[in-house]
Amino acid sequence: MNTTFPLGLTKDKAPSTRGVDENAQFLITRIKEAYERKSSHEEPTAVRSLERYIILNAIDRLWQEHLYAMDALREAFIYAATRKRSADRYKTEATTCSLN
């Protein structure tokens, strides 16, 4: 956590009496405070532009992953349908040959 968000947190500073939700809320609050301190020293338009770029990049990456997954699913259906048709054709031919 301290690598991604250098908040100066250590194990001895973290009370063990908090639950998971309280820990999550504590970390979110600390991260937001650190972000506000950091961004207060930067130009506001540059910060907003960077935020916009990061969000759009994440959305684009997730959308591409979704499209790749849907393409793989479509290919799997096509492959399965082709195999089923081939198996049906084999059964029909086998039945025809055995009847003759």
Side-chain angles (χ1 to χ4, degrees):
M1 175 60 92
N2 282 325
T3 305
T4 307
F5 302 103
L7 303 175
L9 298 176
T10 60
K11 287 184 181 179
D12 26 312
K13 287 185 183 178
S16 60
T17 57
R18 285 195 302 239
V20 174
D21 291 334
E22 290 88 11
N23 276 336
Q25 190 58 42
F26 172 75
L27 288 174
I28 289 170
T29 303
R30 293 288 300 262
I31 290 169
K32 284 182 179 180
E33 289 170 357
Y35 180 77
E36 290 302 321
R37 278 193 310 272
K38 174 80 172 159
S39 63
S40 68
H41 299 293
E42 304 293 334
E43 183 181 337
T45 56
V47 172
R48 299 301 171 230
S49 179
L50 179 62
E51 289 172 347
R52 186 172 190 269
Y53 171 78
I54 291 170
I55 290 171
L56 289 176
N57 193 15
I59 291 170
D60 186 48
R61 182 181 45 81
L62 292 171
W63 180 249
Q64 287 177 9
E65 288 175 9
H66 169 72
L67 292 178
Y68 288 134
M70 294 304 294
D71 190 44
L73 183 62
R74 183 177 59 86
E75 291 295 325
F77 277 125
I78 290 171
Y79 178 73
T82 303
R83 285 192 55 136
K84 185 175 184 326
R85 278 186 255 134
S86 296
D88 289 343
R89 186 178 306 135
Y90 176 78
K91 288 177 190 175
T92 304
E93 290 295 324
T95 305
T96 304
C97 288
S98 66
L99 292 178
N100 290 336

